[in-house]
């Protein structure tokens, strides 16, 4: 009788052990998945705004006040780089979002976001650029984190993709050829970071980009129409 009980206990122990192993494997698979998701969804049209309105958005939310499409959550609960996503909007326009993680040119892991001055734009700082366009409005927004705290930065849309040479991004994108740089004829996204090194900005215009004419954003060390090019993010804006 005692032998039968011992065998039964041993059998139950083996079954319990197998259940623990299966549960452990399932947990590892869930962790490895990371809950990654990319959402293609409809976005409402932009709010009312004047011609070429230029303002600052909250660093805590998306530039248009809507929830950002899903990304992959990293260890600190933030959104990881997911490349570019986009889709049509209910109002007949479209939206686009591109994410990047800055790294110096020639880094082991290539990136569309390049920092030329890691003292001002540290490696692993993050950028998000959004675009919304319909028949009457183009809206470009940006959010950044991991920069220096409480500092002013300049940013503009440029005509060419980023490369190791900061000059490769070309000049500011201009709606009409002009001898002057201003936020009415160009897309200016100057911003100031908060105490955590996060910042955001948004620009609105009643004109759209020419096909292939806007290809990147450049971060400058000062605000205004010029300044040293300290970082670049390749963004294939839509016309």
């Amino acid at each position: 009788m005692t032998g039968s009980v011992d065998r039964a206990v041993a059998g139950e122990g083996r079954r319990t052990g197998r259940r623990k192993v299966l549960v452990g494997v399932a947990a590892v698979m869930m962790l490895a998945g990371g809950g990654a998701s990319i959402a293609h969804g409809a976005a409402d049209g932009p709010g009312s705004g004047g011609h070429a309105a230029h303002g600052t958005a909250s660093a805590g939310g998306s530039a248009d006040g809507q929830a950002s499409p899903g990304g992959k959550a990293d260890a600190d609960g933030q959104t990881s780089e997911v490349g570019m996503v986009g889709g049509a909007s209910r109002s007949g326009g479209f939206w686009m979002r591109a994410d990047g993680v800055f790294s110096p040119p020639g880094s082991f892991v290539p990136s569309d976001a390049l920092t030329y001055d890691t003292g001002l734009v540290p490696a692993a700082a993050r950028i998000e650029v959004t675009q919304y366009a319909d028949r009457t409005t183009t809206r470009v927004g940006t959010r950044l984190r991991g920069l220096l705290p409480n500092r002013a930065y300049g940013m503009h849309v440029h005509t060419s993709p980023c490369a190791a040479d900061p000059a490769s991004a070309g000049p500011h994108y201009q709606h009409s050829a002009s001898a002057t740089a201003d936020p009415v004829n160009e897309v200016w996204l100057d911003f100031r970071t908060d105490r955590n090194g996060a910042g955001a900005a948004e620009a609105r215009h009643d004109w759209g980009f020419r096909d292939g004419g806007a290809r990147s954003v450049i971060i400058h060390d000062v605000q205004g129409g010029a300044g040293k090019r300290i970082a670049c993010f390749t963004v294939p804006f839509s016309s």
Side-chain angles (χ1 to χ4, degrees):
M1 182 65 178
T2 300
S4 299
V5 172
D6 290 342
R7 286 193 296 273
V9 170
E12 180 61 26
R14 286 192 295 271
R15 287 193 293 273
T16 301
R18 285 195 293 271
R19 285 197 295 270
K20 289 181 178 179
V21 170
L22 291 173
V23 171
V25 170
V28 170
M29 292 177 66
M30 290 175 66
L31 288 173
S37 62
I38 295 177
H40 292 257
D44 291 327
S48 60
H51 174 70
H54 176 238
T56 300
S58 169
S62 65
D64 60 1
Q66 304 291 331
S68 296
K72 180 177 180 179
D74 57 23
D76 61 1
Q78 301 296 329
T79 300
S80 300
E81 185 174 14
V82 295
M84 189 180 75
V85 296
S89 72
R90 288 188 294 268
S91 59
F94 65 88
W95 62 267
M96 175 278 297
R97 189 197 73 194
D99 300 89
V101 179
F102 287 103
S103 63
S107 296
F108 179 74
V109 179
S111 175
D112 286 333
L114 300 176
T115 173
Y116 308 119
D117 186 336
T118 55
L120 295 177
V121 180
R126 293 169 180 260
I127 183 171
E128 173 188 282
V129 174
T130 58
Q131 179 189 7
Y132 176 87
D134 60 17
R135 289 181 293 272
T136 61
T137 304
T138 296
R139 186 173 66 201
V140 177
T142 186
R143 293 192 301 163
L144 303 100
R145 60 188 178 91
L147 303 180
L148 299 186
N150 302 313
R151 193 187 193 284
Y153 291 85
M155 179 186 285
H156 313 99
V157 172
H158 282 245
T159 61
S160 300
C162 309
D165 181 359
S168 297
H172 295 180
Y173 178 89
Q174 294 189 327
H175 176 56
S176 300
S178 172
T180 61
D182 61 69
V184 175
N185 195 41
E186 301 177 349
V187 180
W188 289 25
L189 296 164
D190 294 354
F191 63 94
R192 185 176 184 86
T193 57
D194 61 19
R195 63 182 181 178
N196 297 314
E202 182 181 278
R204 297 171 187 250
H205 293 82
D206 60 5
W207 45 259
F209 293 122
R210 293 181 293 277
D211 188 23
R215 299 296 305 279
S216 63
V217 292
I218 284 278
I219 302 177
H220 298 269
D221 62 339
V222 296
Q223 295 187 344
K228 177 184 175 183
R229 301 184 182 199
I230 57 175
C232 183
F233 179 39
T234 298
V235 182
F237 291 101
S238 297
S239 59

